[in-house]
């Protein structure tokens, strides 16, 4: 069992992911914005973060760079779970690994079972 | 009190203690300035607005005893909000900040301030291809650091010719004639344009879209090669 923080602006989707991960015996928290997520990380201290990059106001990339400025959060794994196409991902030319990203999942191709498996 | 006022662009923010942050600014005349913004992570901090990334601010600081000064007031002058409104632009923006921070670690010159300031201005224009601005940024960076690639003569000091294919020799900083595949002269032409014109001017000329990925590949690898930029 691990502590997982879902950063997902779509509340309905977040509820779906949360129930799947709770069923896999994880403790799960949820934030809808990058700003809210920074406070949640401080309080909830997750082992893993599941992050949607495409968010209003501060986007997921801003969250990742902000997150990486907290030295005591090094070691928290980040799984990107997004509706952004892989081609757009490549065009962003970001060094994801340096930002703590361990996996990229494209939402339309990822089943709940696959999400559960990736987190486990 | 040893107080001073400057304009600055935030290039790095690191959290410090419970609610403080150490901010690294690039300034037009004072080079790289590091200042502590006390209490800035609290919700009602008046300093917060002026230390946003992708913006230029007026700053008032008190000179510290060591390398870190104290920021006492900030006023946001301009925020390039289109950069964070587009993920490709955001990625490029962070790329520029990381590179400028790395290359100004040991030396600084005024050109870096105008480089990052202009790069943000171009990146903020939604109609300009972010990749074109990225190429322009690398071209200017190589120019400032003294590693401008040679775009008239090849490795054998022969003039670069139309309708030939070339490979790029990174150690020589020049093209070399290729008997088979390679970069077309359109790529070389675009690189020449980048040395003399802004992304906005090049965009008006048009016809550069196809050569852009290859130029980006050469320029970013050149910067990595000469400036030891790790990505």
């Amino acid at each position: 069992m691990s502590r997982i923080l879902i950063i997902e602006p779509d509340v309905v989707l977040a509820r779906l992911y949360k129930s799947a991960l709770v069923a896999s015996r994880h403790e799960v928290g949820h934030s809808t914005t990058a700003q809210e997520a920074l406070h949640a990380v401080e309080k909830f201290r997750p082992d893993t973060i599941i992050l949607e990059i495409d968010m209003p106001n501060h986007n997921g990339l801003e969250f990742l760079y902000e997150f990486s400025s907290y030295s005591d959060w090094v070691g928290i794994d980040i799984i990107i779970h997004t509706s952004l196409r892989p081609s757009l991902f490549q065009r962003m030319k970001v060094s994801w690994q340096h930002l703590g990203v361990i996996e990229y999942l494209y939402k339309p191709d990822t089943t709940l079972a696959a999400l559960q498996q990736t987190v486990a | 009190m040893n107080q001073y006022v400057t304009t600055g662009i935030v290039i790095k923010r690191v959290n410090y203690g419970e609610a403080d942050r150490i901010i690294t600014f690039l300034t037009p005349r004072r080079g790289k300035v590091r200042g502590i913004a006390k209490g800035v992570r609290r919700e009602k901090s008046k300093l917060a607005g002026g230390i946003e990334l992708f913006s230029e601010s007026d700053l008032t600081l008190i000179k510290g005893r060591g390398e870190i000064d104290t920021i006492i007031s900030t006023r946001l002058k301009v925020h390039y909000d289109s950069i964070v409104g587009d993920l490709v632009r955001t990625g490029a923006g962070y790329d520029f900040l990381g590179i400028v921070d790395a290359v100004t670690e040991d030396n600084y010159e005024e050109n870096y301030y105008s480089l990052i300031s202009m790069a943000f201005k171009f990146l903020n224009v939604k109609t300009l291809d972010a990749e074109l601005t990225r190429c322009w940024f690398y071209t200017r960076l190589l120019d400032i650091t003294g590693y401008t690639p040679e775009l008239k003569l090849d490795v054998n000091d022969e003039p670069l010719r139309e309708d030939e294919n070339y490979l790029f020799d990174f150690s020589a900083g020049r093209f070399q004639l290729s008997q088979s595949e390679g970069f077309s002269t359109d790529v070389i032409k675009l690189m020449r344009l980048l040395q003399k014109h802004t992304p906005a001017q090049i965009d008006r000329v048009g016809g550069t879209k196809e050569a852009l990925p290859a130029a980006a590949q050469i320029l970013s690898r050149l910067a990595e090669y000469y400036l030891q930029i790790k990505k």
Side-chain angles (χ1 to χ4, degrees):
Chain A
M1 188 191 97
S2 53
R3 296 162 74 82
I4 297 158
L5 178 67
I6 300 169
I7 307 174
E8 169 60 67
D10 187 323
V11 182
V12 178
L13 282 180
R15 213 174 287 150
L16 190 69
Y17 305 146
K18 190 173 176 176
S19 59
L21 295 170
V22 167
S24 304
R25 300 177 179 278
H26 295 297
E27 194 177 337
V28 184
H30 170 228
S31 300
T32 52
T33 67
Q35 197 64 34
E36 199 183 294
L38 288 172
H39 294 296
V41 176
E42 203 151 327
K43 283 183 187 159
F44 184 61
R45 294 277 161 177
D47 304 302
T48 305
I49 292 172
I50 297 174
L51 172 69
E52 169 57 274
I53 288 283
D54 191 11
M55 292 196 290
N57 301 320
H58 293 291
N59 62 49
L61 199 49
E62 289 180 272
F63 170 82
L64 280 173
Y65 277 97
E66 188 65 32
F67 177 84
S68 65
S69 74
Y70 288 73
S71 55
D72 49 342
W73 293 352
V74 173
I76 300 177
D77 291 335
I78 295 172
I79 296 168
I80 290 178
H81 185 221
T82 180
S83 49
L84 292 178
R85 288 196 182 88
S87 58
L88 178 62
F89 239 68
Q90 281 170 354
R91 281 181 54 216
M92 285 158 73
K93 295 187 175 173
V94 170
S95 175
W96 300 104
Q97 215 179 332
H98 288 118
L99 294 170
V101 176
I102 57 158
E103 191 71 70
Y104 160 82
L105 300 173
Y106 180 44
K107 272 181 189 169
D109 291 345
T110 309
T111 61
L112 284 177
L115 182 64
Q116 286 169 315
Q117 228 165 20
T118 307
V119 172
Chain B
M1 205 162 24
N2 202 353
Q3 186 174 307
Y4 64 93
V5 177
T6 180
T7 300
I9 293 174
V10 176
I11 57 170
K12 195 177 185 178
R13 303 187 297 191
V14 178
N15 292 310
Y16 184 77
E18 282 287 300
D20 307 340
R21 298 192 109 177
I22 293 172
I23 316 291
T24 307
F25 296 98
L26 215 56
T27 67
R29 290 193 178 78
R30 289 177 174 266
K32 220 169 174 178
V33 168
R34 286 187 182 86
I36 186 162
K38 291 186 175 167
V40 76
R41 280 151 63 205
R42 293 194 188 101
E43 271 181 32
K44 288 181 182 170
S45 168
K46 286 180 182 169
L47 295 178
I51 58 160
E52 283 288 317
L53 290 174
F54 311 123
S55 63
E56 292 185 48
S57 299
D58 286 329
L59 313 158
T60 307
L61 297 99
I62 297 173
K63 197 99 192 86
R65 283 182 193 161
E67 284 186 355
I68 298 173
D69 301 340
T70 302
I71 304 162
I72 55 170
S73 77
T74 63
R75 190 179 68 87
L76 185 72
K77 276 172 69 180
V78 53
H79 183 242
Y80 301 109
D81 49 2
S82 294
I83 296 178
V84 289
D86 174 311
L87 285 161
V88 173
R89 289 174 202 281
T90 311
Y94 279 110
D95 192 22
F96 298 167
L97 289 175
I99 290 168
V100 167
D101 184 38
V103 296
T104 53
E105 205 51 60
D106 300 321
N107 63 3
Y108 178 81
E109 63 163 289
E110 287 179 12
N111 285 332
Y112 288 117
Y113 183 85
S114 76
L115 169 66
I116 196 93
S117 173
M118 286 181 77
F120 282 173
K121 283 187 181 88
F122 294 130
L123 209 52
N124 199 48
V125 179
K126 287 180 184 172
T127 51
L128 273 182
D129 191 329
E131 198 63 3
L132 182 60
T133 299
R134 197 191 282 268
C135 285
W136 175 84
F137 174 85
Y138 280 117
T139 303
R140 291 291 305 128
L141 179 74
L142 288 163
D143 195 28
I144 293 169
T145 49
Y147 296 110
T148 309
E150 168 59 53
L151 299 177
K152 284 185 179 154
L153 303 172
D154 69 9
V155 286
N156 297 315
D157 279 338
E158 295 291 330
L160 296 170
R161 294 192 298 262
E162 291 272 347
D163 305 322
E164 295 280 8
N165 283 329
Y166 289 91
L167 296 173
F168 196 82
D169 182 333
F170 287 91
S171 59
R174 292 175 180 217
F175 284 95
Q176 68 176 62
L177 197 59
S178 169
Q179 300 305 324
S180 52
E181 291 180 344
F183 299 111
S184 70
T185 41
D186 285 347
V187 176
I188 299 168
K189 281 180 194 164
L190 173 58
M191 288 174 71
R192 283 180 186 147
L193 283 173
L194 286 159
Q195 286 184 345
K196 290 182 181 165
H197 303 284
T198 66
Q201 289 167 330
I202 297 168
D203 185 62
R204 277 198 290 274
V205 173
T208 56
K209 206 170 176 62
E210 286 185 8
L212 204 50
Q217 187 194 340
I218 294 171
L219 291 164
S220 66
R221 277 195 57 198
L222 254 178
E224 280 175 47
Y225 183 87
Y226 286 115
L227 307 174
Q228 318 276 298
I229 296 164
K230 297 272 178 279
K231 292 207 186 172

